[in-house]
Amino acid sequence: MELLANKIRPQKLTDIIGQDHLIGENKVLSNLVKNGKLFSMILYGKPGIGKTSIANALINELKIKSKFLNATTNNKADFDIAIEEAKMYGEMILVIDEIHRMNKDKQDILLPHIESGLIILIGLTTSNPYHKINPAIRSRCQIFELKELSLEDILTGLKRVLKELPDIKVNDEALKHIASLSAGDFRSALNLLEVCYYSSKDHEITIESIKNINNKAVFFHDKDEDGHYQVLSAFQKSIRGSDVDASLHYLARLLVAGDLDSIYRRMSVIAYEDIGLANPGIGPKVQAAISAAELVGLPEAIIPLGVVVTEMALSPKSNSAYLAINEAINDINKGLAGPVPKHLINPSPDYIYPHNYKNDYYPQEYMPANLKNKIYYHQKANKYEANLNKIYNEMRNIK
């Protein structure tokens, strides 16, 4: 029997729930369909928010020959066959799931055909393509981020599919509970609805019957503001503010939601943005805790994460490095990137090798001439930076 999630797969863009920034009147994907033209693209976002559905809808509306492959399970020969089929038809939409896992051999096969337009690539990934996808592929694609679905989005989608379940008896309160348990994953909500339908007496779905199947605590997204991101924001601000109890509270909420990826990303940012040079050892500790959590999985993952978040909240804080790199980037964006000093360009007989001098230091100019004497790093008073500041001041005095 075909699963409900596959049975009601959207056939056109107007069937997609959410993603109003990409679909609708005068929005980019809708305009591409309207103009009958498609370009290679990467769709990324969390599971169950519409990546595959959008790819299907684009294919159905544009009526272009297509093929679906998976970057990990399909081998090199499958990619060769897809290219030969594309040559037969003149062009082909090739949808590649988990594109961030595609190895170099498969990339090398595809690149010239994406370049020529024979292959129109639609890559699907849950990972940030700017971090995980090869730049050669990325540069040939438009990148579209899919937004997380709100509680209202999930409810809208569930109500649309009720007609596919004959004799179902379910009220708005029960539907809302199912939507709340999905944490923004529409496919998860559909699967839970279907299980409830077939496992309930007379197909009557109640809060109690849902809890018999899934008793996970409710955690959902608000309609106007994404509640999930509010919790992530509160998590970071609590660690930044050195409130260990609040930090653990928001960590617990995120753990109950089961969103380990968001926890990992936010902890990694906090380690370098908010703690930074005040406790530079925290970065490797965070990565070690993430590795341990990945190794053991939930529920044991709470142990290493709880330990490291406690230390993060109690660590001294410094954002000096964070502010410094942002100020440097702002100067670049303002057009202040002057020519590199000639003595730093290889080969130059005027470059002085610092290791040949006392304390491995020799005063010479490294900044472009238009930024001479520019200071980005502004010292902060904490135990670790005090040592760095001593060296920093000595070097500037010598210079």
Side-chain angles (χ1 to χ4, degrees):
M1 182 181 66
E2 188 177 16
L3 291 175
L4 182 62
N6 290 328
K7 188 176 181 180
I8 57 92
R9 180 82 67 185
Q11 299 301 304
K12 52 186 184 297
L13 287 179
T14 52
D15 295 334
I16 304 291
I17 61 170
Q19 314 313 331
D20 296 339
H21 62 301
L22 299 175
I23 299 167
E25 185 67 27
N26 206 30
K27 297 298 173 64
V28 58
L29 295 185
S30 297
N31 283 345
L32 287 175
V33 168
K34 182 180 178 181
N35 293 321
K37 183 67 177 177
L38 195 63
F39 299 90
S40 290
M41 66 179 69
I42 294 169
L43 304 175
Y44 82 100
K46 289 184 66 176
I49 60 175
K51 297 184 294 294
T52 305
S53 293
I54 289 175
N56 268 313
L58 289 170
I59 289 165
N60 288 335
E61 295 210 59
L62 290 168
K63 295 179 171 50
I64 300 174
K65 182 67 177 177
S66 65
K67 194 176 188 71
F68 280 73
L69 295 176
N70 185 291
T72 53
T73 59
N74 288 105
N75 58 32
K76 183 171 174 284
D78 295 324
F79 283 76
D80 286 328
I81 291 169
I83 291 166
E84 291 306 312
E85 290 180 8
K87 290 176 181 177
M88 290 171 55
Y89 291 102
E91 68 175 351
M92 174 185 282
I93 296 175
L94 183 60
V95 182
I96 302 180
D97 200 7
E98 296 190 85
I99 191 171
H100 60 283
R101 298 183 184 276
M102 188 163 63
N103 63 31
K104 189 175 185 302
D105 285 348
K106 295 170 185 174
Q107 291 173 28
D108 290 344
I109 293 171
L110 288 178
L111 279 173
H113 304 295
I114 296 172
E115 189 76 39
S116 70
L118 178 69
I119 295 290
I120 301 169
L121 173 67
I122 301 182
L124 311 178
T125 178
T126 56
S127 298
N128 189 326
Y130 296 102
H131 300 160
K132 297 289 188 178
I133 293 180
N134 186 293
I137 292 286
R138 198 174 64 226
S139 68
R140 290 163 172 80
C141 298
Q142 297 301 311
I143 297 176
F144 299 115
E145 179 182 7
L146 273 63
K147 306 298 184 183
E148 293 193 46
L149 300 177
S150 69
L151 178 67
E152 290 300 320
D153 291 330
I154 302 289
L155 279 171
T156 297
L158 289 176
K159 289 175 181 178
R160 284 184 190 175
V161 304
L162 291 182
K163 62 181 181 293
E164 300 292 338
L165 299 171
D167 305 323
I168 189 170
K169 303 179 187 71
V170 60
N171 58 30
D172 287 346
E173 184 183 8
L175 281 179
K176 184 174 181 180
H177 192 72
I178 291 173
S180 300
L181 289 167
S182 72
D185 184 333
F186 185 51
R187 183 169 53 241
S188 172
L190 284 175
N191 290 339
L192 179 55
L193 177 68
E194 190 170 20
V195 172
C196 290
Y197 172 78
Y198 284 108
S199 63
S200 302
K201 183 180 178 181
D202 299 325
H203 302 312
E204 182 177 3
I205 301 175
T206 64
I207 298 289
E208 195 59 36
S209 66
I210 297 167
K211 288 181 177 179
N212 288 335
I213 297 167
N214 188 331
N215 61 3
K216 181 179 175 183
V218 171
F219 184 90
F220 61 87
H221 310 290
D222 303 307
K223 180 178 181 182
D224 299 317
E225 293 289 337
D226 194 328
H228 185 57
Y229 284 113
Q230 291 177 354
V231 174
L232 280 170
S233 177
F235 177 55
Q236 179 165 5
K237 289 182 173 72
S238 298
I239 295 177
R240 180 187 295 153
S242 301
D243 188 325
V244 65
D245 299 302
S247 301
L248 291 170
H249 167 77
Y250 291 115
L251 173 64
R253 287 172 67 164
L254 293 164
L255 286 168
V256 168
D259 188 5
L260 291 174
D261 285 343
S262 291
I263 296 172
Y264 298 158
R265 287 193 294 268
R266 191 57 62 106
M267 284 170 51
S268 298
V269 168
I270 297 166
Y272 294 97
E273 177 183 344
D274 295 306
I275 299 172
L277 292 175
N279 180 8
I282 200 66
K285 286 184 178 181
V286 166
Q287 294 307 309
I290 290 171
S291 296
E294 283 286 273
L295 179 66
V296 300
L298 288 171
E300 288 87 354
I302 69 173
I303 302 168
L305 296 179
V307 168
V308 80
V309 165
T310 299
E311 182 175 354
M312 292 171 78
L314 297 176
S315 285
K317 308 295 189 298
S318 172
N319 67 345
S320 57
Y322 169 73
L323 294 176
I325 187 59
N326 272 292
E327 188 176 346
I329 289 172
N330 286 337
D331 276 354
I332 303 303
N333 290 335
K334 289 188 287 189
L336 298 178
V340 174
K342 289 182 179 180
H343 64 280
L344 300 182
I345 299 174
N346 288 332
S348 172
D350 298 322
Y351 171 66
I352 306 299
Y353 190 59
H355 294 300
N356 291 337
Y357 293 83
K358 184 180 178 181
N359 296 326
D360 299 288
Y361 179 74
Y362 184 89
Q364 59 187 327
E365 189 59 59
Y366 293 95
M367 276 286 200
N370 63 316
L371 289 172
K372 186 176 180 179
N373 298 323
K374 174 73 178 185
I375 295 175
Y376 292 119
Y377 171 65
H378 300 281
Q379 306 174 16
K380 290 215 168 183
N382 58 72
K383 186 175 180 180
Y384 184 84
E385 272 186 277
N387 294 325
L388 296 181
N389 294 341
K390 181 180 177 182
I391 297 169
Y392 178 81
N393 292 332
E394 287 176 355
M395 297 304 181
R396 290 198 68 83
N397 288 335
I398 294 172
K399 190 174 178 180

